[in-house]
Amino acid sequence: MIKLKEIKDSVLHLLFPHVCTGCGSDKINNETVLCMRCMDAIPETNFEQHPDNPVEKIFWGRLRLAGATAQFYFTKESLVQHLMHQFKYKGNKELGLQLGRMMGEQIKKSGRFDVDALIPLPLFPAKEKRRGYNQAAVLCEGMAEALKIPVLDKTIIRPQHTETQTKKGRIERWKNMEGKFILSDSSSIRNKHLLLVDDVVTTGATLEACGNVLLQAENVKLSVACLCVASR
Ligand SMILES: [Zn+2]
């Protein structure tokens, strides 16, 4: 019986080779999309363990946070850049789930993020439709497995640009909409410590805009977690 399964597995592997998204190696088990070597090669920041880390500093004086972190360094021409491209533009959702689980495990281990629920930073609806998913929501799904807390993906929404806003110039209109978020269900987050999640943090402007809207709900505590941060 076991033999039959082995034969079936090797035939399947020939037809649909299961290889590492990072390096193409087939030394990888079926439950994962990254081999051990690639997982070890992703440069970790360990920011989750350190108060006053560089990601927290981005938000000082701008957004009232209990804590903030980004798990990996993003550098050009790197493994992380390749993975981000696969995840964001090539529809590799499995990879996002695995990266989310890695984020969740690290955050849990740090003991610094006593959070009750995950909030993915919403994408514009048209962008999400084009991409097939919101990458932040996929990360949250993976993180939720590790952290055992719910994902609230309907709490805050990001309205689509509308062509009726014709009075403003295109750039100005875009800037206006970039920072626009609407709290659709404030009762679901009342008295909670929320972890707002996105894939990359650079200037923090979008997270700041979204976070400040979440903080309008009654007695909300807020933290931020991103998959990666651009290293300078
Ligand atoms: Zn690999």
Side-chain angles (χ1 to χ4, degrees):
M1 205 58 187
I2 288 165
K3 217 166 189 185
L4 198 68
K5 190 185 175 297
E6 275 171 19
I7 294 166
K8 197 180 128 204
D9 282 352
S10 16
V11 171
L12 277 175
H13 184 76
L14 275 177
L15 293 173
F16 309 103
H18 180 68
V19 297
C20 170
T21 306
C23 66
S25 157
D26 63 358
K27 294 199 171 36
I28 177 173
N29 65 34
N30 279 324
E31 291 76 48
T32 160
V33 291
L34 278 181
C35 72
M36 292 300 279
R37 232 180 54 187
C38 283
M39 271 203 260
D40 283 345
I42 301 178
E44 286 176 22
T45 62
N46 297 316
F47 286 168
E48 77 282 358
Q49 302 166 22
H50 302 289
D52 301 344
N53 66 57
V55 175
E56 294 191 356
K57 283 181 184 165
I58 292 175
F59 296 101
W60 280 0
R62 296 165 64 190
L63 183 63
R64 185 163 45 82
L65 292 178
T69 181
Q71 298 313 111
F72 306 113
Y73 287 109
F74 180 95
T75 48
K76 282 204 168 133
E77 317 286 331
S78 68
L79 172 64
V80 175
Q81 186 186 27
H82 170 71
L83 295 179
M84 288 297 285
H85 186 76
Q86 293 294 316
F87 174 36
K88 281 178 85 164
Y89 306 110
K90 298 288 176 185
N92 196 336
K93 192 177 170 187
E94 265 312 306
L95 173 66
L97 288 172
Q98 184 166 351
L99 292 169
R101 284 191 289 267
M102 289 167 75
M103 285 174 80
E105 288 297 343
Q106 290 173 349
I107 286 169
K108 185 175 155 192
K109 232 187 329 183
S110 79
R112 279 189 63 228
F113 292 79
D114 183 19
V115 288
D116 304 307
L118 298 161
I119 307 256
L121 189 114
L123 273 185
F124 289 117
K127 209 175 205 179
E128 181 167 343
K129 206 171 165 203
R130 200 161 58 233
R131 217 170 260 183
Y133 50 77
N134 173 0
Q135 70 274 10
V138 175
L139 291 173
C140 283
E141 218 182 295
M143 291 170 79
E145 284 180 35
L147 293 165
K148 311 267 185 289
I149 53 174
V151 180
L152 305 176
D153 59 357
K154 309 245 177 332
T155 302
I156 192 152
I157 50 176
R158 200 170 187 184
Q160 195 62 46
H161 322 230
T162 51
E163 287 311 314
T164 51
Q165 298 173 293
T166 45
K167 277 181 195 154
K168 293 176 185 130
R170 196 195 258 189
I171 303 271
E172 195 189 333
R173 202 164 65 216
W174 178 80
K175 267 191 191 157
N176 257 356
M177 293 306 291
E178 188 66 8
K180 191 157 187 190
F181 294 90
I182 294 169
L183 197 56
S184 74
D185 181 11
S186 66
S187 63
S188 68
I189 58 172
R190 196 161 48 202
N191 303 322
K192 287 200 167 82
H193 184 178
L194 307 170
L195 188 57
L196 178 61
V197 175
D198 201 9
D199 53 356
V200 191
V201 55
T202 43
T203 65
T206 318
L207 285 159
E208 178 190 352
C210 184
N212 276 318
V213 174
L214 288 168
L215 285 173
Q216 287 167 12
E218 194 189 332
N219 194 26
V220 158
K221 215 162 111 180
L222 187 68
S223 290
V224 162
C226 295
L227 177 64
C228 48
V229 58
S231 60
R232 298 158 212 234

